[in-house]
């Protein structure tokens, strides 16, 4: 069997990753006549239950699986294929950075490709520290062709230049470097910012790390 093809859509928050994924799925369903299974991690609560959704309200039904159990992706696929009496051609996964541990979602995607499924993932590349978020960037290593890598950009909330870093604020203030990767209370908001405007109090000076 031919190995499937992987497309990785990645970028900052507010770069319309989910909207791009939804458009791609609609095109492949309507014109490519593909059967597509859409999956999202349960830890992503922002878009509501049973849907993937972009900030402009564009949404699409999705199956939810626990973000800490990537193997359940196989259970959903088997269950739905049995129910529908036909196999999927493509597996689409949104918010891929929320799956943990990173190695096991990496292996899951690799196995889906080996089984012959095409896979499309969308994910946040960097966290609020500007460091790799989950498995998103590593998955690019499974793509066959540079054209299958879609890097989306946001605009900096402060200066309007290209803004590739998520700025996390709690009660309006930049959170310090040693904060947890995921929310821990307080009024939390995010902005896209450029490398110049991004604020991260307490960030280690890499030039002096030995
Ligand atoms: Zn800026």
């Amino acid at each position: 069997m031919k190995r499937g093809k992987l497309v990785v859509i990645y970028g900052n928050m507010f770069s319309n990753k989910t909207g791009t994924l939804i458009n791609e799925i609609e095109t492949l369903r309507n014109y490519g006549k593909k059967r597509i299974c859409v999956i999202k991690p349960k830890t992503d609560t922002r878009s509501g239950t049973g849907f993937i959704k972009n900030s402009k309200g564009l949404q699409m039904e999705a199956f939810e699986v626990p973000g800490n159990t990537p193997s359940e992706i196989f259970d959903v696929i088997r269950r739905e294929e049995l129910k529908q009496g036909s196999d999927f051609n493509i597996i689409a996964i949104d918010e891929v950075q929320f799956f943990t541990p990173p190695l096991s979602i990496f292996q899951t995607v690799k196995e889906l490709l080996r089984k012959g499924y095409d896979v499309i993932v969308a994910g946040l590349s960097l966290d609020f520290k500007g460091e790799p978020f989950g498995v998103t960037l590593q998955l690019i290593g499974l793509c066959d062709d540079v054209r299958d890598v879609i890097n989306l950009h946001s605009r900096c909330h402060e200066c309007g230049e290209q803004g590739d870093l998520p700025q996390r604020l709690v009660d309006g203030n930049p959170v310090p470097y040693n904060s947890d990767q995921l929310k821990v209370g307080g009024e939390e908001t995010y902005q896209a910012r450029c490398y110049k405007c991004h604020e991260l109090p307490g960030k280690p000076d890499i030039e002096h790390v030995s």
Side-chain angles (χ1 to χ4, degrees), residues 155-163 192-198:
R155 284 282 145 190
C156 175
H157 185 268
E158 298 295 297
C159 73
E161 292 300 315
Q162 183 173 305
R193 293 215 188 158
C194 70
Y195 281 80
K196 215 170 101 196
C197 299
H198 188 254

Side-chain angles (χ1 to χ4, degrees), residues 14-186:
F14 315 111
S15 64
N16 201 26
K17 299 182 295 297
T18 300
T20 304
L21 179 66
I22 291 174
N23 287 336
E24 190 69 11
I25 293 168
E26 280 181 344
T27 303
L28 287 163
R29 273 182 179 156
N30 296 338
Y31 301 102
K33 310 292 177 206
K34 302 293 184 195
R35 288 182 301 280
I36 306 175
C37 181
V38 185
I39 287 174
K40 66 175 244 183
K42 225 174 221 157
T43 41
D44 173 30
T45 52
R46 293 167 305 168
S47 53
T49 308
F51 290 94
I52 58 172
K53 199 174 182 179
N54 80 346
S55 51
K56 295 189 182 78
L58 191 62
Q59 66 176 44
M60 175 175 276
E61 277 185 48
F63 298 107
E64 290 183 60
V65 303
N68 58 356
T69 324
S71 61
E72 296 215 8
I73 290 173
F74 292 101
D75 294 339
V76 169
I77 294 167
R78 272 190 292 266
R79 187 189 73 211
E80 293 304 313
E81 287 183 339
L82 210 62
K83 209 191 281 181
Q84 295 170 20
S86 61
D87 290 352
F88 290 111
N89 309 109
I90 301 172
I91 311 301
I93 307 172
D94 196 22
E95 303 286 4
V96 74
Q97 79 279 357
F98 284 138
F99 285 96
T100 52
L103 183 60
S104 92
I105 182 65
F106 187 88
Q107 288 163 335
T108 300
V109 171
K110 206 167 68 169
E111 182 61 12
L112 289 169
L113 296 169
R114 195 192 66 78
K115 283 173 177 283
Y117 293 105
D118 287 337
V119 180
I120 310 174
V121 302
L124 191 57
S125 41
L126 303 174
D127 66 10
F128 76 96
K129 297 179 182 180
E131 294 174 357
F133 203 149
V135 79
T136 311
L137 294 172
Q138 286 165 311
L139 285 172
I140 293 170
L142 297 177
C143 293
D144 289 331
D145 193 297
V146 70
R147 286 169 296 186
D148 300 329
V149 180
I150 301 167
N151 180 6
L152 299 175
H153 299 285
S154 305
R155 284 282 145 190
C156 175
H157 185 268
E158 298 295 297
C159 73
E161 292 300 315
Q162 183 173 305
D164 286 330
L165 297 172
Q167 175 68 55
R168 182 159 144 213
L169 305 161
V170 170
D171 302 323
N173 301 310
V175 298
Y177 178 84
N178 60 8
S179 308
D180 289 336
Q181 195 173 46
L182 297 172
K183 177 189 164 120
V184 279

